């Protein structure tokens, strides 16, 4: 269904019947590099996990007092840093940056920051080979290879989630902002699709910052600057 490398990774993750947060992060990183939809991956992997757990329950033997099989606890899957507010204890949904009960702002950054995670994904894409066969490969293999690489980078950036916490969002916006200033004549190694994807992701992050942190001193200058240039109103 997926590439050989991603299928082997899924099989390795499902081997022990439990999916940890780190294993999900590794799978998502590989999937985004290949342009796989993360929601689709979640459904597929959870379906395979359920089949695997169902297969380990032995069938009942006639004439014997078969004990009820122990209930299988689903694997713990966490996508955010927190699932409860540390201040008031309210349950929060994934993607929440501020508690709806007490307005506590979540500041933690889980593991690597979004900037680092996206950087690793882009590095992995840059190391991959995008061979172009047939007549196109003979006429301009390097050109078509770079176009495919540019498309893969843009797809990874587009599918990358907007950060959920204040510190991570601030760092990610500061990382993306210079990318929005790359013009057609000075793109360097960054292709046109990648440039557009960076600008779109920057706008998504700015919109989230306006929604949750419009009055925050750390965001005021950034939001003020974002009103000019590419996003001038």
């Amino acid at each position: 269904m997926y590439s050989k490398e991603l299928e082997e990774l899924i099989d390795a993750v499902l081997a022990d019947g439990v999916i940890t947060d780190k294993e999900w992060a590794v799978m998502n990183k590989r999937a985004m590099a290949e342009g796989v939809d993360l929601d689709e991956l979640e459904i597929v992997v959870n379906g395979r996990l359920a089949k695997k757990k169902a297969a380990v329950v032995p069938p009942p033997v006639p004439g014997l007092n078969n004990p009820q099989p122990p209930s299988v606890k689903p694997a713990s899957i966490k996508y955010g840093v927190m699932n409860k507010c540390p201040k008031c204890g309210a349950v929060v949904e994934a993607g929440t940056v501020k508690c709806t009960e007490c307005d506590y702002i979540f500041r933690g950054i889980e593991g690597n920051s979004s900037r680092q995670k996206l950087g690793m994904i882009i590095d992995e894409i840059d190391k991959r080979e995008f061979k172009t066969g047939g007549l196109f490969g003979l006429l301009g293999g390097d050109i078509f290879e770079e176009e495919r690489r540019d498309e893969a980078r843009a797809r990874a950036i587009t599918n990358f989630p907007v950060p959920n916490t204040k510190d991570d969002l601030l760092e990610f916006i500061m990382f993306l902002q210079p990318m929005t200033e790359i013009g057609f004549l000075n793109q360097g190694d960054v292709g046109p699709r990648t440039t557009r994807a960076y600008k779109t992701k920057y706008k998504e992050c700015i919109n989230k910052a306006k929604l949750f942190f419009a009055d925050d001193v750390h965001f005021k200058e950034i939001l003020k600057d974002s009103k000019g240039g590419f996003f001038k109103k």
Side-chain angles (χ1 to χ4, degrees), residues 20-126:
T20 65
D21 297 343
K22 183 176 182 180
E23 289 171 333
W24 269 113
V26 173
M27 280 194 298
N28 287 342
K29 175 185 173 183
R30 182 68 195 184
M32 284 192 290
E34 296 185 7
V36 175
D37 183 86
L38 298 186
D39 291 334
E40 175 190 299
L41 178 68
E42 178 187 352
I43 294 173
V44 171
V45 172
N46 284 336
R48 294 184 186 181
L49 179 62
K51 288 182 180 180
K52 181 180 179 66
K53 290 182 176 181
V56 301
V57 180
V61 179
L64 295 179
N65 184 18
N66 294 285
Q68 291 294 323
S71 59
V72 180
K73 183 179 180 180
S76 175
I77 304 173
K78 301 177 182 178
Y79 294 98
V81 178
M82 305 176 184
N83 56 5
K84 284 188 177 181
C85 174
K87 183 177 180 180
C88 68
V91 177
V92 295
E93 298 180 358
T96 301
V97 296
K98 183 185 296 186
C99 178
T100 56
E101 298 296 328
C102 66
D103 292 332
Y104 178 83
I105 296 175
F106 305 132
R107 300 178 59 89
I109 301 179
E110 180 184 10
N112 292 329
S113 67
S114 293
R115 176 185 63 80
Q116 292 171 317
K117 290 178 182 177
L118 180 57
M120 289 189 292
I121 292 172
I122 297 300
D123 286 344
E124 183 175 332
I125 292 174
D126 288 343

Side-chain angles (χ1 to χ4, degrees), residues 57-219:
V57 180
V61 179
L64 295 179
N65 184 18
N66 294 285
Q68 291 294 323
S71 59
V72 180
K73 183 179 180 180
S76 175
I77 304 173
K78 301 177 182 178
Y79 294 98
V81 178
M82 305 176 184
N83 56 5
K84 284 188 177 181
C85 174
K87 183 177 180 180
C88 68
V91 177
V92 295
E93 298 180 358
T96 301
V97 296
K98 183 185 296 186
C99 178
T100 56
E101 298 296 328
C102 66
D103 292 332
Y104 178 83
I105 296 175
F106 305 132
R107 300 178 59 89
I109 301 179
E110 180 184 10
N112 292 329
S113 67
S114 293
R115 176 185 63 80
Q116 292 171 317
K117 290 178 182 177
L118 180 57
M120 289 189 292
I121 292 172
I122 297 300
D123 286 344
E124 183 175 332
I125 292 174
D126 288 343
K127 293 176 183 177
R128 286 165 50 191
E129 293 186 0
F130 292 84
K131 294 297 184 182
T132 304
L135 180 61
F136 288 125
L138 294 174
L139 295 177
D142 292 341
I143 297 175
F144 287 104
E145 180 178 355
E146 188 53 40
E147 286 185 355
R148 294 178 62 191
R149 192 185 312 279
D150 182 32
E151 184 178 354
R153 289 195 206 103
R155 187 165 53 244
I157 296 167
T158 299
N159 293 333
F160 196 83
V162 174
N164 295 332
T165 62
K166 175 183 173 181
D167 292 350
D168 200 10
L169 180 61
L170 181 62
E171 180 187 30
F172 199 50
I173 288 176
M174 295 177 68
F175 162 71
L176 293 175
Q177 195 276 333
M179 303 298 184
T180 68
E181 299 177 353
I182 299 176
F184 179 77
L185 297 178
N186 63 333
Q187 287 180 343
D189 295 331
V190 181
R193 295 183 182 88
T194 302
T195 300
R196 288 194 295 270
Y198 273 129
K199 289 180 178 179
T200 300
K201 186 59 60 177
Y202 175 75
K203 187 173 183 179
E204 292 176 9
C205 292
I206 288 295
N207 288 338
K208 189 165 188 176
K210 288 179 179 178
L211 180 63
F212 291 101
F213 305 114
D215 297 325
D216 190 284
V217 64
H218 296 94
F219 283 89

